[in-house]
Amino acid sequence: MALFNIEIVSDDAIGGGNRADVLCEMGLAYATGRGRPVDLVAAHKWLNIAAIRGSDRAADLRADLAATMSKSDLAAALRAAREWMTVH
């Protein structure tokens, strides 16, 4: 399975399938350090976006992750998701 950074891949490259699932996988990759350094802010950002786009799994994972994060990190993750959503 190829790993890619969603920020540098065009919408067309993601192609068919459930895009929310791809975003959820990005969140999981950042949460677990799979193919990249662990970054809980980025993980929450991608899980949040995936949840907004309809992934129930991402919503559950996001809630679990949020419970372990500091308020400042959680605020940064929410800001990052909001910024990404306004552009995409």
Side-chain angles (χ1 to χ4, degrees), residues 9-88:
V9 176
S10 72
D11 290 342
D12 294 334
I14 293 172
N18 185 347
R19 192 158 172 222
D21 289 343
V22 173
L23 297 169
C24 182
E25 288 300 318
M26 285 294 296
L28 283 171
Y30 278 105
T32 62
R34 190 175 61 218
R36 67 203 71 235
V38 171
D39 183 340
L40 298 184
V41 172
H44 189 282
K45 168 189 164 181
W46 292 118
L47 291 171
N48 192 30
I49 294 167
I52 290 167
R53 300 227 171 156
S55 172
D56 293 334
R57 180 178 180 219
D60 292 340
L61 293 168
R62 175 190 61 189
D64 291 343
L65 182 60
T68 69
M69 295 173 69
S70 70
K71 288 183 181 186
S72 61
D73 282 347
L74 186 55
L78 292 171
R79 269 192 312 276
R82 217 174 15 256
E83 289 170 6
W84 191 89
M85 292 292 289
T86 61
V87 173
H88 299 89

